[in-house]
Amino acid sequence: MRLMILFSFLMLFAAAISVNAATARIEKLPFGKTADGVEVDAYVLTNASGARVTITTYGARVVSIVVPDRLGVMGDVALGFENLAGYVEDTAYIGAVVGRYGNRIALGKFALDGKLYTLATNNAPNHLHGGIKGFDRVVWTPKSSQVNGATRLQLTFISKDGEEGYPGTLTLTVVYTWTDRNELKMQYTATTDKATVLNPTNHAYFNLAGAGQGDILGHVMRINALRFTPTTVSSIPTGQLRPVKGTPLDFNKPTAIGVRIGEPYEQLISGNGYDHNFVLNKPAGKLGLAAEVYEPTTGRVLRVLTTEPGVQFYSGNFLSGATGKDGATYPRRSGFCLEAQHYPDSPNQPTFPTTILRPGQRFSQTTIYEFSARK
Ligand code: GLA
């Protein structure tokens, strides 16, 4: 009898393990073909609990993130499109890895080692997110794998010398890892054959109540920053690091995004809402907390950790009603971004941490989006 009980117990245990092993998986799906005939795929990374992330090779974009709410109900918290066509039309960098330079370079010009470089001014009068055909609009080379139960997708892009005006052939790899703890880990590494500037980030838009489920103004935001980089009317940093204390940009105490967004503070007026780089209150290069967001109706929580010195909090001010997955629409402020990065316009700001990458150096940055739910 005792042996029987032990045997049944062992069988149950084995079944539990095999269920887990069977559910953590990676699937590849066709996603479309570019105008010049390149096949684009999407990879679905599913963890042991059934939570999943979809990433496409076009722009290394995060297409969806399906995670549980406080009752265990799964919901897609990332804005995105059904297929490649939606991304080709998109102008909001939805879910993309942006670069070479995430955010703006003033007037599309910078000097490096005494030489002046001119980039596209695709956000007049400035350069934004890598230019006309940035990393968000190219097809990356994929390699998927499963390591210690976690699913991984490695994406590589080789950006040629002179592409979009940037010097040096740059090889950039982003490894997305989706863990059983609902963490989406992004590890960027890069090398170059000539001195260049580099500031890649992920431009996912989140709505923790569910993509397409209204605006994000009720999300409660905490940003781990005592200072931010104020900007001019054309969204270029003035060079100053201004204390957030006493301004509507103080998110040290968790505050709903919508509470102060309409205040007549000069930075919110010129930014059309929140569109600012925060100086993270942690040692440079060390992985630490950037922000934590809580959505009260579903209990979902997003924590962003990064090795980067800054995070751009953007409240989706320019979203303008595109139709996304399942026919959902994405109007103004229906998603927010937390773009872990170096500060905007660093190539022209000698006091900001450097974004120069030289031959022989290896660039690395790690950012984690960690999902959970609170009762
Ligand atoms: C960044 C910029 C914004 C805007 C969005 C994309 O967050 O700072 O001004 O360009 O990307 O629309």
Side-chain angles (χ1 to χ4, degrees), residues 275-328:
D275 193 354
H276 294 86
N277 172 68
F278 289 75
V279 175
L280 295 175
N281 194 25
K282 65 174 189 64
K286 281 255 160 53
L287 188 73
L289 185 72
E292 179 171 314
V293 195
Y294 168 65
E295 200 287 306
T297 67
T298 59
R300 288 199 186 94
V301 176
L302 163 66
R303 268 159 50 90
V304 180
L305 298 112
T306 188
T307 54
E308 287 297 282
V311 71
Q312 182 87 6
F313 166 39
Y314 170 56
S315 51
N317 312 311
F318 302 123
L319 288 172
S320 58
T323 303
K325 290 166 288 186
D326 301 320

Side-chain angles (χ1 to χ4, degrees), residues 9 24 34 38 114 123 147 153 179 184 241 251 255 257 279 335-336 343:
F9 181 74
T34 64
V38 182
N123 187 252
V147 179
L153 179 66
T179 74
L184 181 61
L241 304 184
F251 284 99
T255 309
I257 296 172
V279 175
F336 65 87
Y343 314 159

Side-chain angles (χ1 to χ4, degrees), residues 91-93 103-104 123 128-129 203 205 275 312 314 318 339:
T91 53
Y93 306 88
N103 213 281
R104 293 177 179 76
N123 187 252
L128 177 68
H129 295 329
H203 207 294
Y205 287 75
D275 193 354
Q312 182 87 6
Y314 170 56
F318 302 123
E339 304 153 58

Side-chain angles (χ1 to χ4, degrees), residues 139-142 154-158 171-174:
V139 181
W140 295 58
T141 304
Q154 174 182 307
L155 295 164
T156 302
F157 178 65
I158 299 174
T171 305
L172 173 64
T173 295
V174 181

Side-chain angles (χ1 to χ4, degrees), residues 101-109 121 123-129 228-240 242 266-267 270-271 275-277 312 343-349 352:
Y101 203 92
N103 213 281
R104 293 177 179 76
I105 294 180
L107 306 175
K109 290 193 192 309
T121 47
N123 187 252
N126 303 313
H127 175 83
L128 177 68
H129 295 329
F228 73 107
T229 50
T231 51
T232 63
V233 281
S234 81
S235 296
I236 295 297
T238 59
Q240 189 199 355
R242 185 184 296 177
E266 109 320 293
Q267 287 291 310
S270 60
D275 193 354
H276 294 86
N277 172 68
Q312 182 87 6
Y343 314 159
D345 199 32
S346 300
N348 294 307
Q349 301 275 355
F352 287 178

Side-chain angles (χ1 to χ4, degrees), residues 152-230:
R152 275 169 59 140
L153 179 66
Q154 174 182 307
L155 295 164
T156 302
F157 178 65
I158 299 174
S159 166
K160 298 204 178 63
D161 187 11
E163 202 170 279
E164 295 294 316
Y166 290 99
T169 295
L170 178 89
T171 305
L172 173 64
T173 295
V174 181
V175 178
Y176 284 102
T177 306
W178 180 233
T179 74
D180 281 344
R181 297 210 306 268
N182 295 348
E183 299 154 314
L184 181 61
K185 190 169 179 184
M186 297 163 285
Q187 287 162 296
Y188 304 71
T189 49
T191 53
T192 183
D193 66 355
K194 274 187 201 161
T196 190
V197 294
L198 176 64
N199 187 29
T201 186
N202 180 275
H203 207 294
Y205 287 75
F206 300 101
N207 185 329
L208 300 177
Q213 304 292 313
D215 66 48
I216 45 77
L217 299 176
H219 286 59
V220 180
M221 175 70 72
R222 180 182 156 217
I223 302 178
N224 182 23
L226 297 174
R227 294 172 298 173
F228 73 107
T229 50

